[in-house]
Amino acid sequence: MCQQIGAYDQQVWEKSLEQAEFNGIDSKPKRSGHIKTDLIDVDLVRGSTFSKAKPDSPWTALTRKGLVRVLLFPFFFQWWIQVTSRSISTCILVLYLMQGKLASHINILFGPMCLMLLLGTVHCQIVSTESNRSPSDSPVSSTSPARRRRLGSYSIGGAMDTKVKPHEVERLRTELERPASDTDDTIWEELLQGPDTASTGSSDSEGDGRYGPGLTLPPVSIYRLTSFLSPQGHLSWLQACHPSRDRVSVIIWEQGECKKADMSVLEISGIILTRVKVVEQGMGYLALGGLFTATLALLPFVFRLAQQLDMKRLSSLSLVELAVMVVGPPNTQIYAFFFITTVERLCLTGLFFFMMCVAERTYKQRLVFAKLFNHITSARKAKKWEIPHFRLKNVQNIKMWLSLRSFLKRRGPQRSVDVIVSSIFLLALSIAFILCTQLLNSHHTFLDSETNWELMVWGSSLILFLLRLATLGSETNCKYSNVSVLLTEQINLYLKMEKKPNKKEMLNIVNNVLKLATKLMKELDTPFRLLGLTVNPLIYNITRVVILSAVSAVVSDLLGFNIRLWKIKP
């Protein structure tokens, strides 16, 4: 339909061009070629040269899968064991059964149920790359045991057994193209992935000659088949053309003595990783998460106690009287109900705050990586941290410096932590919107609601963690985008020009390359960011329109005149 509409605007030259394009490149003469590994791509500066695993499915499909796996948790229990552990999956199953036991009290369990759905969806987003890793990451290990047994028999010494019966080859392509099933039941697979994407492998091609000596497979299938059967071939190609194979002369310190060595990006990053691991990680935010968890778990009891209790009588009441005031008269069923809800809130809230602490620790490690990267060109700091040191005195060293920068920026968890941060941000966004709405509707009785108190505690905790992540992310970006290192190296080049006038022309070339690297870094290191946090443009716009509009309405109602915060430019 789109092509038909666009055809009305086409001129004669456009139609002729399309007819020429239809012929394709099949009719063109071809000759052998090779990739020039001594040059760099823009991906090297942007950081995408060292790619990370990504899911094949869009986030909407992954969200649907996550919701189904949580809502029907017992049916996917084996899958949860694979992506977590048996003990954790068993604990979550117990929580799930507890919620089913108290299904009639949906108003009490609404919070824990939402938390379980959020945690399950986030975890499904995180582990969605497990079955989509590249062949060099051992694809067989990410499949189910049954598929592993079927696929493992075809790889003999990194090559196909002599080409294997044709119908077996066809079944092996089918296996590689088929996403890993969550269960062995096709019904669940269609429920999660949709009936259109379910694999329909056929076995009636035996003897039809399609997979004889002239094996004809779709291009993607050929790549996946050859990469799977010969992962070493793919890895050797990657090592041959990747910038990580280059080496640079560095200075290292052994027992206080200065020595020289030739090292690659991988070797330098390995030393930096060793130094990062020995840096002590503080327990402050983990303790803060535990404090917020306990507060949210005990908040309903404290709220009921505060409503019914006079502070002057607090010291004169016994523990039994306090329990009666908070829970009610002695009743096994009532006590069991409050025990289950408290355990639900404690466990699920604790898991969520633990997830936020994982994100905080990862961001902190990224900052340490960035700091050590900045110390590479400083002799004093490199000696202090016992990391390799080299100057940007020639073009090759600049290339290695950019390669190391790109490599270190991609080290460690990336997408999984971004999923956690996005979920924190969206949850804080939703809570802020609800609080603003509640404050507008009933600001006189706002503090009389237990839900509002709970939302305020949630909002405060999320804001604290977001500010922490924003600070760490901003500092990390400043370290990697710190042009003072390049400016210092330019000064060093001018100092060398004075000492060695005969090398002035060569040093001028290096100086010009440093200037280009500075401009390129400034141009590429400016994506959508919120205080250092990478934010989706859609989330950014929702924040400006929804939250700032709600806050503007609250401020306008309190001050008595209209104010439009969303029009303020960041």
Side-chain angles (χ1 to χ4, degrees):
M1 187 64 181
C2 294
Q3 292 179 352
Q4 285 182 328
I5 295 175
Y8 293 106
D9 297 333
Q10 284 184 340
Q11 291 290 341
V12 177
W13 65 270
E14 290 181 283
K15 295 181 179 180
S16 302
L17 185 62
E18 285 189 358
Q19 292 296 329
E21 290 176 349
F22 287 154
N23 294 330
I25 61 173
D26 295 334
S27 59
K28 301 293 182 181
K30 303 178 184 68
R31 58 185 181 273
S32 60
H34 64 279
I35 298 175
K36 295 183 178 180
T37 59
D38 55 334
L39 304 178
I40 67 172
D41 296 328
V42 70
D43 298 338
L44 185 66
V45 184
R46 185 181 287 117
S48 55
T49 298
F50 301 92
S51 60
K52 307 286 285 187
K54 295 182 179 180
D56 291 337
S57 304
W59 69 270
T60 52
L62 296 176
T63 302
R64 186 183 73 246
K65 291 180 181 181
L67 293 175
V68 172
R69 286 166 178 153
V70 175
L71 292 174
L72 304 176
F73 189 91
F75 297 99
F76 298 98
F77 184 66
Q78 293 298 325
W79 182 86
W80 283 103
I81 291 177
Q82 292 176 5
V83 298
T84 55
S85 65
R86 182 171 293 276
S87 57
I88 294 178
S89 300
T90 304
C91 292
I92 298 177
L93 180 62
V94 172
L95 296 176
Y96 178 90
L97 296 177
M98 285 183 177
Q99 290 181 0
K101 186 73 173 177
L102 303 177
S104 57
H105 303 276
I106 188 66
N107 56 335
I108 303 295
L109 291 176
F110 182 73
M113 287 174 62
C114 291
L115 263 181
M116 181 173 281
L117 288 173
L118 178 61
L119 288 169
T121 304
V122 169
H123 192 70
C124 289
Q125 296 265 358
I126 291 173
V127 303
S128 59
T129 58
E130 185 65 24
S131 60
N132 299 311
R133 297 185 186 274
S134 61
S136 59
D137 291 327
S138 300
V140 180
S141 62
S142 63
T143 58
S144 61
R147 295 182 72 207
R148 198 177 304 134
R149 287 192 298 269
R150 291 195 300 266
L151 297 178
S153 60
Y154 293 100
S155 180
I156 302 177
M160 185 180 294
D161 192 359
T162 54
K163 284 288 187 194
V164 176
K165 296 181 180 179
H167 73 279
E168 292 179 343
V169 175
E170 183 183 38
R171 190 170 75 247
L172 175 63
R173 187 190 78 243
T174 303
E175 291 289 345
L176 289 176
E177 293 295 335
R178 177 192 180 195
S181 177
D182 303 310
T183 64
D184 291 332
D185 195 339
T186 312
I187 297 177
W188 296 120
E189 183 176 356
E190 292 184 357
L191 179 63
L192 290 172
Q193 302 180 7
D196 297 334
T197 59
S199 65
T200 55
S202 60
S203 59
D204 55 351
S205 60
E206 182 176 1
D208 59 1
R210 288 188 297 163
Y211 303 108
L215 182 66
T216 57
L217 297 172
V220 176
S221 301
I222 292 177
Y223 170 76
R224 295 190 65 180
L225 184 62
T226 54
S227 299
F228 172 78
L229 293 178
S230 183
Q232 295 300 324
H234 179 73
L235 184 61
S236 62
W237 176 86
L238 182 65
Q239 292 173 342
C241 66
H242 214 273
S244 60
R245 77 181 184 90
D246 297 333
R247 293 183 174 272
V248 64
S249 177
V250 301
I251 294 176
I252 57 176
W253 285 268
E254 289 184 355
Q255 299 178 353
E257 294 184 4
C258 180
K259 298 182 179 180
K260 282 190 174 183
D262 293 335
M263 303 184 72
S264 66
V265 169
L266 298 178
E267 292 168 339
I268 297 174
S269 66
I271 296 176
I272 293 178
L273 177 61
T274 304
R275 300 296 177 264
V276 171
K277 287 182 178 180
V278 300
V279 175
E280 293 184 2
Q281 297 286 347
M283 303 293 291
Y285 279 85
L286 193 61
L288 183 63
L291 178 62
F292 278 117
T293 300
T295 302
L296 288 168
L298 299 177
L299 183 62
F301 303 102
V302 176
F303 184 80
R304 293 189 185 94
L305 185 63
Q307 281 187 324
Q308 302 179 20
L309 181 64
D310 186 2
M311 297 303 295
K312 297 180 181 179
R313 298 176 50 209
L314 181 61
S315 58
S316 61
L317 293 176
S318 64
L319 187 61
V320 177
E321 291 175 328
L322 287 175
V324 171
M325 292 181 66
V326 173
V327 181
N331 187 306
T332 305
Q333 186 175 0
I334 294 177
Y335 283 7
F337 170 78
F338 277 98
F339 174 77
I340 291 175
T341 54
T342 304
V343 171
E344 290 270 348
R345 295 166 66 92
L346 187 66
C347 294
L348 295 175
T349 307
L351 283 175
F352 189 84
F353 278 99
F354 177 76
M355 184 176 66
M356 288 198 291
C357 291
V358 170
E360 189 269 341
R361 179 161 295 193
T362 303
Y363 269 69
K364 192 172 181 180
Q365 282 190 342
R366 291 182 187 177
L367 179 59
V368 178
F369 269 114
K371 286 181 177 180
L372 294 184
F373 170 73
N374 266 349
H375 298 343
I376 287 287
T377 55
S378 172
R380 180 180 63 85
K381 292 183 178 179
K383 181 179 180 180
K384 176 183 177 182
W385 286 89
E386 297 181 350
I387 58 176
H389 162 69
F390 64 91
R391 296 286 184 182
L392 307 183
K393 58 185 179 180
N394 53 50
V395 178
Q396 180 65 19
N397 283 19
I398 297 174
K399 177 186 175 183
M400 289 291 293
W401 186 82
L402 291 174
S403 301
L404 183 63
R405 176 179 179 268
S406 176
F407 189 76
L408 292 179
K409 287 179 71 174
R410 305 295 287 179
R411 282 302 299 264
Q414 298 285 332
R415 183 189 150 275
S416 56
V417 176
D418 291 340
V419 169
I420 296 174
V421 175
S422 299
S423 64
I424 298 172
F425 185 82
L426 289 174
L427 184 59
L429 193 74
S430 305
I431 290 175
F433 178 76
I434 294 173
L435 286 176
C436 290
T437 305
Q438 291 287 89
L439 193 59
L440 281 175
N441 291 336
S442 56
H443 59 274
H444 295 293
T445 59
F446 180 79
L447 297 178
D448 297 336
S449 172
E450 177 189 337
T451 303
N452 291 341
W453 278 98
E454 186 172 352
L455 290 177
M456 284 193 296
V457 176
W458 269 110
S460 302
S461 61
L462 294 177
I463 287 174
L464 284 176
F465 273 91
L466 281 176
L467 287 176
R468 171 64 173 172
L469 295 175
T471 304
L472 292 174
S474 179
E475 291 181 7
T476 303
N477 288 334
C478 288
K479 294 293 182 182
Y480 280 121
S481 304
N482 189 9
V483 297
S484 61
V485 173
L486 301 180
L487 295 176
T488 304
E489 293 302 313
Q490 286 181 266
I491 295 175
N492 290 333
L493 290 176
Y494 284 115
L495 293 175
K496 284 189 174 183
M497 289 180 191
E498 286 189 352
K499 293 182 177 180
K500 299 179 180 180
N502 58 325
K503 295 185 177 180
K504 186 174 182 180
E505 184 178 354
M506 183 191 70
L507 293 175
N508 267 326
I509 294 176
V510 179
N511 186 42
N512 291 333
V513 174
L514 282 175
K515 291 180 180 179
L516 292 175
T518 304
K519 292 181 180 179
L520 193 59
M521 286 170 54
K522 288 182 178 179
E523 181 179 349
L524 295 179
D525 288 346
T526 54
F528 264 97
R529 295 185 184 277
L530 179 65
L531 296 176
L533 286 172
T534 302
V535 178
N536 186 287
L538 178 62
I539 298 177
Y540 179 79
N541 292 326
I542 289 175
T543 305
R544 288 178 54 82
V545 176
V546 179
I547 294 301
L548 295 182
S549 299
V551 174
S552 300
V554 174
V555 174
S556 301
D557 184 63
L558 295 176
L559 299 180
F561 57 89
N562 291 332
I563 183 171
R564 299 177 179 179
L565 295 176
W566 68 88
K567 290 192 175 182
I568 300 176
K569 294 184 178 180

